[in-house]
Amino acid sequence: QVQLVESGGGQVQAGGSLRLSCAPSGRFLSIREMGYYREAPGKAREVVAVLPSGGAAHYADSVMGRFTISRAEVTVYLHMNDLKPEDTGVYYCNMIFDFADGSPTSNVWGQGAQVTVLS
């Protein structure tokens, strides 16, 4: 069973920066896609950034130009600059895995990391 372990997050003043990272544990064949989603207080989970394997990154309009998603082997990073109070929320890492033994493609979520931006 594959699990995702997230790290990073915290509290920062508006205009500051934070970095999130996420890495899988367990056996898998490949990763189809990596991404970050967030839940703001009282709101539904929304996509922040997605990085398809071999493809270009896609960003929510609200974070374009401020956030960058990147990958180093099986670890995904979300670099967040010029943070705003409306970026506050719980950020969830997500990866889609394929397996060598024929098991179904699996969509796995991390445990979440709190990001709080003070005005």
Side-chain angles (χ1 to χ4, degrees):
Q1 182 178 0
V2 178
Q3 295 181 325
L4 297 178
V5 178
E6 296 191 52
S7 60
Q11 183 172 287
V12 66
Q13 294 287 335
S17 299
L18 288 172
R19 188 186 78 165
L20 304 178
S21 63
C22 175
S25 64
R27 297 176 63 87
F28 55 90
L29 176 63
S30 59
I31 303 173
R32 288 192 182 191
E33 183 178 276
M34 297 172 160
Y36 273 95
Y37 296 71
R38 69 185 178 192
E39 284 184 13
K43 295 186 178 180
R45 189 173 298 188
E46 62 176 0
V47 62
V48 174
V50 172
L51 183 61
S53 179
H58 302 275
Y59 297 92
D61 290 344
S62 60
V63 307
M64 188 79 70
R66 300 186 297 120
F67 290 13
T68 302
I69 189 170
S70 65
R71 173 179 181 170
E73 297 187 352
V74 297
T75 300
V76 64
Y77 300 93
L78 185 68
H79 305 265
M80 304 181 288
N81 297 318
D82 190 24
L83 281 159
K84 303 177 180 182
E86 52 263 42
D87 295 318
T88 294
V90 179
Y91 284 68
Y92 294 92
C93 170
N94 174 264
M95 294 189 189
I96 302 174
F97 296 94
D98 288 316
F99 301 94
D101 63 359
S103 298
T105 298
S106 181
N107 188 9
V108 181
W109 294 91
Q111 79 275 18
Q114 177 68 45
V115 171
T116 301
V117 184
L118 304 176
S119 58

